[in-house]
Amino acid sequence: MSVPVTLTTSPKQKPAADSLGFGKFFTDHMFVLDYSSAKGWHDGRIIPYEPISLDPASKVFHYGQAIFEGLKAYITVDGEALLFRPDRNFARLNHSAERLCIPAIDEQQALEALKQLVEVDRAWIPAEAGTSLYIRPFIIATEADLGVDESTEYKFIIIMSPSGSYYAEGINPVKIMVEKKYVRAVVGGTGEAKTSGNYASSLISSKEAHEQGYSQTLWLDGKENKYVEEVGSMNIFFKINGTVVTPELTGSILPGITRDSMIQVLKHKNIPIEERHIAIDEVIDAHTNGTLEEVFGTGTAAVISPVGRLLWEGEELVINNEEIGDVSQLLYDTLTGIQSGKINDDFNWTIRLT
Ligand code: COI
């Protein structure tokens, strides 16, 4: 089922690949779908990218009923366009929707609409190594009403942004600060939902991290302030004495799609991988006794991002001489190889657009 398309009459100039950065430029079109309790989700359409007009009383502005996703489209070495596991993003969007009392979308229809949108703006997918078209689906509550209850109206919108590396460091190791003062989430809270409020409450920590020269925050659990959870924009992995360890999904951690993919790759390559609780003390001890071999993050925006330094209680741990470790490199090459069509997609993760 295709949705109606209104093409722009004033296409924008495309930015040069080396000026992309992350999430700064937007394509010519966007997808919009409305919801009302009377009509359900309706009126899906692709229209020129433009500002939206909302009533100032829209619930999203006051109570933060908003969720989003992040995925990417790539141009392969054969010049084809592909999407990476988009079905998982729409499934996760619905999971977040449930937690935020937002009505579920039809995942199949959302995927069809996305494919159509990417086709319309296909010329915006950058082809240079390390670049892609970052896709941001999101849902906001639009009912004009200040009562604290779930909205009866919503907008589901997909916008797209040709992007380069999320971190200025690219694939070079980043510096991360372990956060002790603030917490991101607690079990039973909204930590595993991709809701805007989680990111709003994390800003103070990233700001303080930046002021000290670190790229992001590594969050600990909200109850004991002891177990590692995730980094602001990625899930986290540690290689200790030959085994890769990543925090298990407890309900307060975002279930990353790149996280899941990389666990599958590690298993496929027979590299020991454990999903379990990991205390920050275990990481520090491993560093002290020389068994902390690698630390890296995974995420759609971040891809595979090695961590070269960790700041914990005023002390800086240097990891693997601030070099990219073997496992980080292997995962990076496998993931970007599949996404660029350079290596076979044995996992059936990619969807090629015709
Ligand atoms: C992503 O990796 O897509 C994210 O959502 C992380 C971030 C840029 C918010």
Side-chain angles (χ1 to χ4, degrees):
M1 194 190 69
S2 62
V3 296
V5 179
T6 308
L7 292 177
T8 183
T9 49
S10 44
K12 292 179 274 202
Q13 176 134 26
K14 296 184 185 59
D18 60 359
S19 70
L20 290 176
F22 176 80
K24 298 198 181 334
F25 301 94
F26 297 94
T27 67
D28 280 326
H29 299 89
M30 63 188 193
F31 171 74
V32 182
L33 180 68
D34 295 312
Y35 179 91
S36 67
S37 36
K39 288 188 177 169
W41 286 110
H42 64 279
D43 200 16
R45 59 213 183 266
I46 291 171
I47 57 172
Y49 185 98
E50 63 186 10
I52 53 173
S53 164
L54 292 179
D55 193 295
S58 295
K59 282 184 191 272
V60 65
F61 296 136
H62 307 276
Y63 309 126
Q65 207 189 354
I67 54 176
F68 70 92
E69 271 304 321
L71 70 158
K72 285 175 173 172
Y74 307 84
I75 292 287
T76 67
V77 281
D78 315 317
E80 283 185 274
L82 61 78
L83 293 165
F84 185 77
R85 307 189 81 186
D87 49 319
R88 296 294 303 243
N89 290 91
F90 291 121
R92 190 172 63 182
L93 188 68
N94 269 344
H95 191 69
S96 303
E98 193 181 350
R99 180 64 180 80
L100 272 287
C101 292
I102 293 173
I105 53 154
D106 182 316
E107 292 169 27
Q108 198 50 45
Q109 280 176 16
L111 180 53
E112 289 311 314
L114 172 62
K115 285 179 175 166
Q116 215 184 320
L117 178 65
V118 175
E119 285 292 1
V120 169
D121 277 340
R122 188 187 178 114
W124 281 86
I125 313 176
E128 291 75 7
T131 65
S132 58
L133 184 66
Y134 184 76
I135 300 167
R136 174 56 62 89
F138 64 102
I139 301 179
I140 50 171
T142 53
E143 184 191 0
D145 176 301
L146 296 184
V148 184
D149 49 15
E150 74 269 23
S151 179
T152 57
E153 291 166 23
Y154 298 88
K155 271 188 189 301
F156 170 40
I157 300 178
I158 307 178
I159 55 173
M160 308 196 294
S161 171
S163 291
S165 287
Y166 182 71
Y167 292 112
E169 292 88 340
I171 176 87
N172 296 318
V174 292
K175 292 166 68 177
I176 303 281
M177 181 188 87
V178 186
E179 177 59 73
K180 246 201 128 178
K181 188 161 51 159
Y182 307 108
V183 297
R184 174 187 173 271
V186 288
V187 175
T190 56
E192 71 172 0
K194 214 161 167 58
T195 179
S196 311
N198 291 343
Y199 296 82
S201 73
S202 75
L203 297 179
I204 189 162
S205 176
S206 329
K207 182 169 172 267
E208 291 178 13
H210 291 157
E211 281 163 5
Q212 295 183 64
Y214 293 82
S215 304
Q216 288 268 336
T217 296
L218 173 62
W219 295 103
L220 302 181
D221 77 280
K223 194 169 168 201
E224 295 182 70
N225 226 4
K226 179 174 170 189
Y227 297 103
V228 171
E229 296 231 307
E230 65 178 80
V231 176
S233 61
M234 55 189 192
N235 293 110
I236 191 86
F237 290 70
F238 303 91
K239 181 166 166 251
I240 302 175
N241 209 10
T243 296
V244 180
V245 184
T246 193
E248 66 186 330
L249 301 177
T250 53
S252 56
I253 296 176
L254 189 83
I257 295 162
T258 313
R259 172 189 181 279
D260 174 77
S261 310
M262 294 306 94
I263 290 173
Q264 291 190 47
V265 170
L266 288 164
K267 287 184 177 160
H268 186 73
K269 307 249 182 215
N270 289 322
I271 297 172
I273 161 77
E274 294 174 2
E275 288 176 77
R276 62 167 170 84
H277 271 45
I278 175 160
I280 187 68
D281 286 347
E282 181 182 342
V283 175
I284 307 300
D285 288 350
H287 184 262
T288 308
N289 66 32
T291 53
L292 181 63
E293 293 155 354
E294 288 181 50
V295 180
F296 58 91
T298 62
T300 298
V303 193
I304 304 295
S305 181
V307 177
R309 282 173 190 256
L310 268 184
L311 180 70
W312 168 244
E313 294 191 321
E315 246 189 77
E316 209 177 35
L317 278 56
V318 177
I319 299 138
N320 195 32
N321 265 332
E322 282 196 280
E323 281 163 20
I324 303 167
D326 294 346
V327 169
S328 314
Q329 188 71 58
L330 173 83
L331 294 178
Y332 181 85
D333 292 343
T334 308
L335 181 61
T336 56
I338 291 173
Q339 291 166 341
S340 62
K342 273 190 206 144
I343 59 179
N344 218 21
D345 176 14
D346 294 334
F347 300 91
N348 263 330
W349 283 333
T350 52
I351 294 187
R352 285 180 189 246
L353 302 178
T354 43

